[in-house]
Amino acid sequence: FDANDEILSGVGFRADNRLYDANLDQQSVFMPFIAADQPVNISVEQSTIEDPFWIAQPEGYSIVSRPGVTSVIDFPVVITTEIDGEVHLKQAQDTRTAAGVLVELVDKGTGKVVKTTRSEFDGFYLFQKVVAGTYYVRVHASDLDYYGAIEDHRIELTIPEGSDIVSHQNLLIVQAHPEEGSESTLEP
């Protein structure tokens, strides 16, 4: 927290599932009934943040309070975005949307999957509350195997801070050898 950061008013907090509202000064929260010398999990109550695209990063902290010692915790709030697109399946000369496909959002730097979702009946998928960073959007390996895909199609995205919604990130599953005369349900 520095001089250029703004303190958000009206933000509530949770301490081990007990809700605490912001104090009248809007800059602090008094949390009585916290047991001393025991760990307690403290997080921002997301529903009290005025903009649905803002989230606390990290979501919370675990602290051990001590008698007579005031714990001061800053919760940085960052702007998030959404990523959407469609999943399509190419079988021979036919391309159509694919429902029920597991789509992953992977942090490029760590290789860790940070979010997953399934495509809807019309192939549409959506990742919400995505923080700034560089990612891959890809179809999960089990669904690539299910369709007998010949390639791992993925999209690389760099999301800058304060980015608008990132749309039309369409994925294509290319089936290697669709069986003659088979009808795919397009749902794994």
Side-chain angles (χ1 to χ4, degrees), residues 23-155:
N23 291 340
L24 293 177
D25 68 3
Q26 300 295 319
Q27 295 185 12
S28 63
V29 175
F30 176 67
M31 296 182 175
F33 314 115
I34 300 284
D37 301 318
Q38 294 181 19
V40 62
N41 296 318
I42 299 176
S43 61
V44 170
E45 175 58 35
Q46 185 63 39
S47 66
T48 63
I49 297 178
E50 66 186 63
D51 189 320
F53 283 98
W54 294 351
I55 62 168
Q57 190 70 19
E59 293 178 20
Y61 295 95
S62 183
I63 66 165
V64 176
S65 65
R66 304 286 183 227
V69 177
T70 302
S71 297
V72 177
I73 305 169
D74 288 331
F75 283 89
V77 173
V78 297
I79 299 172
T80 65
T81 190
E82 295 179 342
I83 300 171
D84 70 42
E86 293 180 354
V87 180
H88 298 269
L89 175 65
K90 182 175 172 75
Q91 297 174 302
Q93 302 303 316
D94 184 31
T95 301
R96 21 187 194 163
T97 58
V101 174
L102 186 59
V103 181
E104 299 176 318
L105 184 65
V106 181
D107 184 299
K108 182 181 177 187
T110 65
K112 291 183 180 178
V113 176
V114 294
K115 293 186 180 285
T116 61
T117 189
R118 286 210 177 265
S119 61
E120 299 294 331
F121 72 95
D122 57 357
F124 180 80
Y125 73 88
L126 173 67
F127 291 111
Q128 296 177 308
K129 299 192 183 291
V130 178
V131 298
T134 302
Y135 302 96
Y136 291 116
V137 178
R138 69 180 183 197
V139 172
H140 188 272
S142 64
D143 284 352
L144 291 173
D145 290 344
Y146 177 82
Y147 290 117
I150 57 174
E151 62 184 75
D152 176 13
H153 178 77
R154 63 183 180 179
I155 300 167

Side-chain angles (χ1 to χ4, degrees), residues 152-183:
D152 176 13
H153 178 77
R154 63 183 180 179
I155 300 167
E156 182 177 331
L157 300 169
T158 298
I159 310 293
E161 282 190 38
S163 177
D164 288 334
I165 295 172
V166 181
S167 293
H168 308 296
Q169 302 304 307
N170 298 334
L171 296 165
L172 180 65
I173 301 171
V174 179
Q175 199 169 26
H177 301 289
E179 294 180 27
E180 296 283 332
S182 69
E183 290 293 320

